[in-house]
Amino acid sequence: MKAVLVVVGVLLLALLGLGGCGIGSYNGIVTKDEAATAAWSEIQNQFQRRFDLIPQLVETVKGAKDFEQSTLAAVVEARASVGKMALPDDPAKLQAFVQAQDQLSGALSRLLVVAESYPDLKTSKNFLSLQDELAGTENRIAVARRDFIDRTKEYNAAIRRFPASVVAGMFGFEARPQLELPANVSERPVIDFGGK
Amino acid sequence: MTLRSSWLTAPALCLALAAGARAQDVPKNDGWVTDLADMLSASEEGELETLMESYRSGSGHEIALLTLPNLGGRAIEDVALAVAREWKLGRESVSDGALLLVARDERALRIEVGRGLEGAVNDGLAGRIIRDVIVPELRAGRTYVALRSGIEALHAAAGGDYGPVERATPAEHRGNPAISILALVMFIVLIARARRRHGGGGGGFGGSALPWILASQLGRSSGSGGFRGSSGGGFSGFGGGGGFSGGGASGRW
């Protein structure tokens, strides 16, 4: 009789422990999932911010005498192609979306490099401050992207790790699509700040 | 057997899942000014510390200064972000911190702005502070003026006011040690007497406030002063914000 009670007690304790663990795992997964979602929306914010800055930049650059039209057109075109894209939810489209953004990034940095050879732009307060904003936004995008990759890695690892994997399977948590760092991450637009 | 043992270890495993700390190569902070590149004299650093603490007590914003001998091949943006996040600049709820980072050998500098200050100190403004305020002075070789006016410009942009600085130099707060010892002895004697009178019961002091006055005197004389920064600025750690997302501007001189 006593032995049975002991066994039942031990089983109950084990169940309680497992239950507590399950809730803990569940909450942990939810927290990581939310963190990854937040990191993704930060990327979107910064993409949007850049998107909104471009018209001002284009206007300012247009004002410069004889500005080279092809680089300007490339930026306008890249911006338009980004604007047409809906926010993707599956990984393949995610990559395409980010690639389009990278193209815009490249076109912008070329524009800023070209602008270097226009003296009236280089002394324009308006242009300089736009340049700062754009450099800041590019940096924010890079940061947001790295943060997103980290958060996604953490989440994806969490749902595969035992015992959280059991909980993740029970509640249908799935792995999130991961971003890749762009191949040209080392050649992040280097903007000369006029330190010559 | 293996199944049963895994059932038993599951809760333990669960508890053991601790987040691994990321060991990043971030220099240790030693106050508002961490001058690892030795660009300032001790007295200049002290003055700046006092000014910066005064800003913090006035507006709450936390703006720190770090100088490095070099960046070790890393981008200044990466270093500034890692440091600002690691030091947790800014108040926890609002992340109203900023970091002015100067790399001596690269002649590069960056203002890293926390999320709570991004509205007031936008990237364009940070760039202007670098270009128009700091860089001309650095080029002229006036390092202290450059850094000080940079910090002042940042606080001005962030809407910061000067505030009173609690001058916590050890000499002012530390009471006479003889009085402290006397107070301690009297305190013990009074307690002992009170306990005897009340038979070890509640430990009341029969309405006398004397022991408490003595106790507070004790606390005053031994508690303060020691843990404060030696530069007299009263630096007592950052607020625990650290919400940085890459805002700010960089420059060269």
Side-chain angles (χ1 to χ4, degrees):
Chain A
M1 187 58 200
K2 218 173 188 179
V4 173
L5 270 177
V6 167
V7 167
V8 168
V10 165
L11 275 176
L12 263 175
L13 272 176
L15 266 176
L16 269 175
L18 273 179
C21 188
I23 293 170
S25 302
Y26 178 81
N27 286 344
I29 295 172
V30 170
T31 308
K32 290 197 168 69
D33 192 35
E34 284 304 318
T37 307
W40 175 242
S41 45
E42 174 68 13
I43 297 185
Q44 285 176 280
N45 276 344
Q46 299 306 337
F47 279 157
Q48 185 63 42
R49 186 187 150 100
R50 178 169 68 185
F51 191 79
D52 296 341
L53 275 170
I54 292 172
Q56 287 183 55
L57 179 75
V58 168
E59 278 311 305
T60 311
V61 168
K62 263 185 190 163
K65 243 183 227 145
D66 310 321
F67 195 83
E68 194 189 284
Q69 288 304 307
S70 60
T71 47
L72 200 55
V75 168
V76 173
E77 203 177 296
R79 180 179 184 268
S81 77
V82 160
K84 267 181 261 165
M85 286 189 135
L87 283 172
D89 37 17
D90 75 291
K93 281 187 201 148
L94 187 77
Q95 213 56 45
F97 178 75
V98 170
Q99 261 164 22
Q101 293 284 359
D102 286 345
Q103 266 181 0
L104 180 57
S105 196
L108 267 174
S109 67
R110 274 191 297 280
L111 179 77
L112 291 177
V113 168
V114 169
E116 281 295 306
S117 51
Y118 290 79
D120 47 341
L121 278 182
K122 274 187 74 177
T123 52
S124 146
K125 293 259 177 232
N126 194 13
F127 177 75
L128 285 174
S129 127
L130 268 172
Q131 200 180 31
D132 286 331
E133 293 287 342
L134 274 169
T137 307
E138 291 290 348
N139 188 45
R140 284 193 179 93
I141 289 173
V143 169
R145 201 182 270 209
R146 250 176 293 158
D147 286 348
F148 175 77
I149 288 172
D150 286 350
R151 298 295 93 76
T152 306
K153 211 183 277 170
E154 280 165 19
Y155 168 82
N156 285 348
I159 62 167
R160 288 180 56 189
R161 210 177 282 151
F162 187 81
S165 57
V166 181
V167 180
M170 239 158 34
F171 290 95
F173 284 102
E174 281 171 19
R176 299 177 67 109
Q178 178 63 290
L179 266 185
E180 279 159 38
L181 268 180
N184 62 344
V185 76
S186 53
E187 51 181 84
R188 190 159 43 157
V190 178
I191 293 160
D192 196 302
F193 298 94
K196 279 165 286 185
Chain B
M1 186 59 212
T2 47
L3 184 75
R4 196 181 297 161
S5 59
S6 73
W7 275 78
L8 282 172
T9 49
L13 246 176
C14 190
L15 288 172
L17 278 179
R22 272 201 299 175
Q24 262 186 329
D25 192 17
V26 166
K28 254 183 92 77
N29 150 270
D30 66 6
W32 291 104
V33 181
T34 305
D35 186 20
L36 298 179
D38 271 331
M39 296 177 79
L40 299 170
S41 73
S43 64
E44 285 169 345
E45 188 176 333
E47 268 175 56
L48 215 47
E49 290 263 0
T50 310
L51 171 77
M52 287 154 101
E53 175 65 23
S54 134
Y55 272 126
R56 195 258 289 269
S57 83
S59 65
H61 306 319
E62 296 185 352
I63 301 182
L65 169 66
L66 168 67
T67 72
L68 290 174
N70 63 71
L71 295 168
R74 295 165 73 190
I76 195 167
E77 286 81 10
D78 296 346
V79 176
L81 182 75
V83 170
R85 284 186 171 174
E86 182 71 26
W87 287 3
K88 299 190 187 304
L89 283 164
R91 281 169 293 186
E92 194 173 1
S93 50
V94 283
S95 278
D96 56 343
L99 175 74
L100 173 57
L101 170 65
V102 181
R104 189 189 59 202
D105 293 354
E106 284 86 352
R107 300 174 84 81
L109 68 160
R110 175 164 179 82
I111 293 173
E112 186 77 28
V113 181
R115 268 186 222 121
L117 286 182
E118 277 185 7
V121 189
N122 60 36
D123 301 348
L125 197 52
R128 264 176 50 205
I129 291 175
I130 286 179
R131 269 194 310 275
D132 301 344
V133 178
I134 305 178
V135 166
E137 296 293 343
L138 280 176
R139 282 192 185 145
R142 289 187 290 267
T143 310
Y144 174 66
V145 178
L147 300 181
R148 185 188 172 110
S149 46
I151 295 288
E152 282 171 345
L154 274 171
H155 273 289
D161 285 324
Y162 300 98
V165 177
E166 194 192 331
R167 277 225 163 246
T169 44
E172 283 173 42
H173 267 252
R174 193 166 292 157
N176 190 333
I179 292 178
S180 296
I181 293 167
L182 195 73
L184 181 67
V185 170
M186 283 186 75
F187 186 58
I188 292 169
V189 168
L190 278 167
I191 285 182
R193 198 184 280 169
R195 294 201 115 202
R196 212 179 301 139
R197 198 183 297 153
H198 289 263
F205 291 104
S208 164
L210 188 59
W212 302 117
I213 295 169
L214 286 171
S216 75
Q217 179 69 30
L218 263 177
R220 275 256 300 282
S221 58
S222 62
S224 67
F227 66 94
R228 298 269 186 180
S230 55
S231 46
F235 176 75
S236 50
F238 297 125
F244 286 81
S245 49
S250 314
R252 295 180 171 281
W253 81 92

